[in-house]
Amino acid sequence: MHHLPCSDYPALGTSFRSRPIGTIATLARILRIPGSQLTEAELLGAAERASFLYRIAGEIPKPDGSVRVVLDAKFPLKAIHDRIQRNILKTVQFPEYLQGSIKRRGQGSNARKHVGGRIIITEDIENFFPATSARVIFEVWHRFFKFPPNVAECLTKLTTKDGSLPQGAKTSPLLANLVFWQEEPALELALRRRGIVYTRLVDDITCSASLDLARDEVKWVIAKIRAMVGTLGFRLKQGKETVVDAGSRMIATKLVVNVRVALPSQRRSKIRAAVKAFEASTRANGGTVVDKTLNRVSGQLSYLTQYHPAEGKALRARLRATRGEGPPAGPQHSA
């Protein structure tokens, strides 16, 4: 594979160009909700109580049998998180290889960066949120943002729970983007010099190349990724690593990327089955629509339509017809 000099490939890092917050008083002013007061004492008090200001918002079963607990902050921490996100985290300039919780970036945009590759490599960081320690987050606030230790410590307490990054908190996804702020630019540059596209969507790392990679090069890519995450004590999840070439179905963040971005056929089949089940249950109930079920199926159709507009439109017409809003229109898809 042809390599160009490093000077032709500038490193793309994350940057924060605002003036550092130098005191707790300034931090309190920045995090104050318009029309209200937030004193230094109140902010420090919220920081000390932060680990107790969460509720369980959901428990999601994982394929390995464990449960992912999603949290939601309670007042006043929720309001403080909103101001941290708006006034600090969203002022950060993130490079294109970071795809999580940034405007016009996400699952679809991440997958599009890998469409048409000859090979794709995916890795998953094990227990990413629980493994992101308060020490790591302190380093982000102190060394990346260049906030003094007392301000960094206050923000660390406000944005962690029981010593780690809480999944579900409003501030967590953007902080997750910053975890590897020192190591990631060098990794991305090293890969890009070899014609390899690197992206990260929170804990999902994807690499692809438009040319075939030799086995040794694949091993080198994986070793570089493992070394980067290992610098902060993270590990790659065993059993989640994939290396797939264009002769097979290539998946990036749960989307097919061989020719264009598409949903896997199994996912499409499940959505079609959900529409069919909704039609059957509505008929069995004499035409009565269960709003909760309707909302769930409608959400699945919205997701399908992003990548398969014609199929989504046809299934949406069936949904409307079931609700008594007119006959289905357009081509029908078997369920």
Side-chain angles (χ1 to χ4, degrees), residues 87-326:
N87 295 346
I88 304 176
L89 293 174
K90 284 196 172 182
T91 66
V92 173
Q93 297 296 312
F94 293 98
E96 281 293 323
Y97 59 77
L98 291 174
Q99 291 288 308
S101 297
I102 304 168
K103 189 175 182 180
R104 289 189 291 274
R105 302 188 207 177
Q107 182 190 28
S109 65
N110 182 76
R112 279 189 285 274
K113 290 186 174 296
H114 301 282
V115 169
R118 291 292 305 163
I119 189 170
I120 193 165
I121 303 166
T122 66
E123 297 283 359
D124 186 275
I125 303 173
E126 186 172 19
N127 294 322
F128 181 72
F129 284 94
T132 304
S133 67
R135 177 187 62 82
V136 169
I137 298 303
F138 175 84
E139 291 297 308
V140 169
W141 290 123
H142 180 43
R143 299 184 63 202
F144 173 76
F145 286 98
K146 296 183 171 58
F147 297 163
N150 62 330
V151 173
E153 182 180 5
C154 181
L155 283 164
T156 299
K157 289 178 179 178
L158 288 167
T159 54
T160 59
K161 173 177 167 51
D162 301 325
S164 64
L165 195 63
Q167 186 162 7
K170 183 173 285 189
T171 51
S172 291
L174 290 179
L175 283 171
N177 286 344
L178 293 168
V179 164
F180 301 111
W181 69 274
Q182 277 193 298
E183 298 82 7
E184 211 159 23
L187 170 65
E188 190 275 339
L189 176 59
L191 295 173
R192 186 157 39 101
R193 288 187 64 202
R194 289 161 172 79
I196 299 167
V197 177
Y198 169 92
T199 63
R200 178 167 66 88
L201 181 64
V202 190
D203 57 348
D204 290 317
I205 294 173
T206 307
C207 297
S208 63
S210 58
L211 299 175
D212 293 324
L213 297 180
R215 180 175 298 182
D216 286 347
E217 285 191 291
V218 171
K219 290 181 178 179
W220 177 85
V221 170
I222 294 170
K224 294 288 285 186
I225 295 171
R226 183 176 290 112
M228 182 196 74
V229 303
T231 59
L232 295 180
F234 295 92
R235 296 186 301 179
L236 298 178
K237 191 169 186 178
Q238 293 184 353
K240 293 297 289 287
E241 178 180 288
T242 67
V243 179
V244 181
D245 61 32
S248 302
R249 188 179 67 171
M250 299 195 298
I251 299 287
T253 49
K254 301 180 181 179
L255 294 170
V256 180
V257 296
N258 290 66
V259 178
R260 64 181 181 87
V261 177
L263 293 185
S265 57
Q266 301 96 315
R267 185 78 174 95
R268 293 168 67 185
S269 295
K270 286 182 179 179
I271 295 173
R272 290 194 296 268
V275 172
K276 185 174 182 180
F278 175 78
E279 292 171 325
S281 65
T282 301
R283 286 194 300 268
N285 289 329
T288 301
V289 173
V290 179
D291 288 342
K292 185 176 181 180
T293 304
L294 173 62
N295 292 338
R296 176 175 54 79
V297 176
S298 182
Q300 292 177 341
L301 281 183
S302 296
Y303 180 57
L304 174 71
T305 304
Q306 291 181 55
Y307 307 106
H308 305 277
E311 183 175 9
K313 182 179 179 181
L315 290 171
R316 180 73 67 181
R318 285 171 54 179
L319 205 65
R320 291 196 184 101
T322 303
R323 296 168 59 191
E325 297 179 8

